[in-house]
Structure formats: structure tokens, C-alpha cells
Amino acid sequence: RRADWLGDCHFGSLVVFSSPSLVRISANVAPDPLFILFVILFLIESVLYMRKPSPRSFAGLVITALLAASQRYVGMSAVVTGAIVILLRQRKIPWRALRDSAIFSVLAGAPSLAYIIFHNYLGYGTLTGPRFDPKPIGTLHLTLEKVEHWFIPGTITQVTGHLIWALIALCVLVIGLIIAWRYKRLKEVLNSGAFIPTLVFSIIYGLTLIFLLSYKEHRPLSVDRIHLVL
């Protein structure tokens, strides 16, 4: 059953990756579709590595993190996440944890890091190239506002405000966790550690967006290129 699930994931990803429309959009408009695809593949490989480390799962981590980092600067979050996942999984053998984490970081992050240093820093004096300055507080507020507008139209939030919807979302989250715990599903997930890669990636990716994203470029609500891994 596990092999069938893994094969279906890879086959489905191959179908999406080979889509001509997706490739055209990524090449001519924005790399977001391929970036999201590679991040999903990376999280799948991270869970497999957490369950059973092996040369195949390690190679899967390297390849998917490398591909994610090649699409957007924030894809380096996958490299950092992968290094942390390896350290956590191999923590009982410290020397192996440090060795595998270092090898992974070099293989997955070196190409993007070389581009950042030689193209951006040496060419423009900044790690992100010619971009507007980030505004962390403004970016955090903007991200929450855009996520809210995925579900609630702006015409409604202008009347009701934002606080009520934040409270509703919090209540739904708490109720969902209670139901999952009652039916022991949440306990199974926590014991398996399958949530760790997604949790770590979400934190690192969110912090990267907040502190590095160009606020002025993304301020219009019509520019919906802020993605959170939920």
C-alpha cells in the first residue's frame, strides 16, 4: 500500500511537471507553479526520510530541495528545512547527523548560493538583487490579509472588519484539533513525526517571506503571489 501511494505521488507529479501550459507559465510569467510542485515533492520526500532514512530518500531530499531552490530565492527554505530534518532524524548518532546534513546542504544549496553571491551580491550589493526594501511588519499584515481574502471577499471584510474572521478561524482550528484528538488521529500523526517537515518548512518559509519579500511589489491585493504552506 505504501509503495502504491508513493508511486501514485511520483506519477501524478510527472504528469503535472510535463504539462505544456505549466511550463509556459513558469518560463514566461512566474515560476510559482513549478515552485509549489517542487515544494510538495520535497515535503513528501521529507516524510519518507523521517520514516526510514535510506540513500534513496536522501537523494530524493537533495533533488527536490535543489529544484525548489532553483525556482525562487525562498526555495532555500527547503534546503534549511532538509538540513534540520536530517539533524532531527539522525540525532541519536551526532557525527552522522552532522555529516549527512552538511553533505545535503552543499549538494542542494550550492548552485543557488553561488548565484546569489556572484550574480546578486557582487553585481548589486544585495543578496536578493535589485528589489525594493522589505517591511517585515507590513508584509506580515499583508500576508494575513491576502490569506483572509482567499476565503472572504474584500467587500465583506470592509464591513465586518478582520478580527471576527480571525476568531472564527481560530475556533474552527481548535474544534478540528479536538475532533482529531478524540478519534486518535491527531495522536497518531504526532507520534509518527510526519508533521515535523511541514511545520519546520512553514516556519522558515514564513519568516523568509516576512523579512525578505519586497513589500512595495506585493502591496496591491490583486498581486496574489504570497503563498503559505498550510
Side-chain angles (χ1 to χ4, degrees):
R1 184 177 298 177
R2 177 176 173 270
D4 292 340
W5 170 78
L6 181 60
D8 291 342
C9 290
H10 287 151
F11 179 74
S13 301
L14 181 62
V15 172
V16 175
F17 181 71
S18 62
S19 168
S21 59
L22 183 144
V23 174
R24 284 197 297 268
I25 292 174
S26 298
N28 301 315
V29 181
D32 296 19
L34 282 180
F35 172 71
I36 295 174
L37 172 63
F38 293 148
V39 166
I40 293 174
L41 288 175
F42 166 76
L43 294 176
I44 293 174
E45 294 294 339
S46 298
V47 172
L48 295 177
Y49 184 87
M50 287 291 294
R51 290 178 176 175
K52 186 179 180 181
S54 67
R56 196 219 68 81
S57 61
F58 183 83
L61 271 182
V62 172
I63 294 173
T64 52
L66 174 64
L67 291 174
S70 70
Q71 296 301 303
R72 297 183 65 185
Y73 294 129
V74 291
M76 290 296 289
S77 301
V79 179
V80 178
T81 301
I84 294 176
V85 166
I86 293 173
L87 289 174
L88 291 175
R89 186 62 180 83
Q90 302 285 1
R91 64 185 180 277
K92 294 182 179 180
I93 310 177
W95 69 267
R96 180 180 295 177
L98 293 175
R99 182 200 65 186
D100 291 354
S101 179
I103 294 175
F104 167 82
S105 300
V106 171
L107 294 178
S112 297
L113 189 59
Y115 181 86
I116 290 173
I117 294 175
F118 291 105
H119 180 269
N120 292 345
Y121 186 74
L122 296 181
Y124 301 98
T126 63
L127 296 178
T128 56
R131 291 170 174 245
F132 296 104
D133 294 333
K135 294 182 180 180
I137 301 300
T139 302
L140 176 60
H141 180 271
L142 179 61
T143 300
L144 296 176
E145 187 177 2
K146 289 192 175 186
V147 170
E148 178 188 59
H149 288 162
W150 291 349
F151 306 96
I152 311 299
T155 53
I156 296 179
T157 57
Q158 289 177 356
V159 177
T160 62
H162 303 287
L163 181 58
I164 184 175
W165 299 110
L167 293 175
I168 292 175
L170 180 61
C171 291
V172 171
L173 176 61
V174 171
I175 293 173
L177 291 175
I178 292 174
I179 295 175
W181 183 265
R182 181 178 180 182
Y183 288 95
K184 300 182 179 181
R185 177 57 180 167
L186 180 60
K187 188 176 181 179
E188 293 176 2
V189 173
L190 293 177
N191 290 335
S192 68
F195 71 99
I196 292 178
T198 301
L199 177 62
V200 173
F201 179 82
S202 298
I203 294 173
I204 296 175
Y205 182 70
L207 291 175
T208 303
L209 284 180
I210 291 172
F211 288 99
L212 295 182
L213 193 69
S214 300
Y215 177 77
K216 186 176 180 180
E217 293 181 73
H218 297 83
R219 180 63 190 91
L221 293 179
S222 58
V223 180
D224 196 12
R225 290 190 62 202
I226 295 181
H227 303 287
L228 292 179
V229 180
L230 301 178

